[in-house]
Amino acid sequence: KVESSFADEQGFTLLEDGEILGINSGNYNYQNWEKSGGKLIIKGAYTGTNPHEFCDTMNIKEVTDEHLILEQGGYEVTYIRK
């Protein structure tokens, strides 16, 4: 079970078996993830306006015990481990 004390906090939990749990992910239903070389690949479905499946491939810039930094198309996001 994933709990957050912040209603606007967003992110995900990557489980060892390839399952991914969204945190306040709204209309995004994550299905699975995989690591391929230096890339993180996340697959799922968007259920809002214009529903569709998606596959996001992001460059893994840095991984530590405290954070994960991903980059895609020049946009960088830092996720903090909780």
Side-chain angles (χ1 to χ4, degrees), residues 40-61:
L40 177 66
I41 303 166
I42 296 177
K43 297 178 184 176
Y46 177 72
T47 59
T49 306
N50 188 26
H52 60 277
E53 292 186 352
F54 65 86
C55 179
D56 282 340
T57 302
M58 296 155 282
N59 295 313
I60 301 170
K61 300 285 283 189

Side-chain angles (χ1 to χ4, degrees), residues 7-50:
D8 59 350
E9 186 174 80
Q10 294 182 332
F12 48 79
T13 300
L14 303 174
L15 303 178
E16 288 185 27
D17 64 357
E19 185 179 0
I20 180 170
L21 305 174
I23 300 170
N24 294 324
S25 54
N27 292 324
Y28 290 93
N29 293 326
Y30 298 113
Q31 296 170 347
N32 57 57
W33 70 276
E34 66 181 271
K35 182 179 179 282
S36 179
K39 300 190 181 299
L40 177 66
I41 303 166
I42 296 177
K43 297 178 184 176
Y46 177 72
T47 59
T49 306
N50 188 26

Side-chain angles (χ1 to χ4, degrees), residues 62-69 78-82:
E62 185 176 338
V63 178
T64 70
D65 289 341
E66 291 84 30
H67 66 266
L68 166 66
I69 301 175
T78 300
Y79 294 92
I80 307 299
R81 183 180 299 232
K82 298 229 173 182

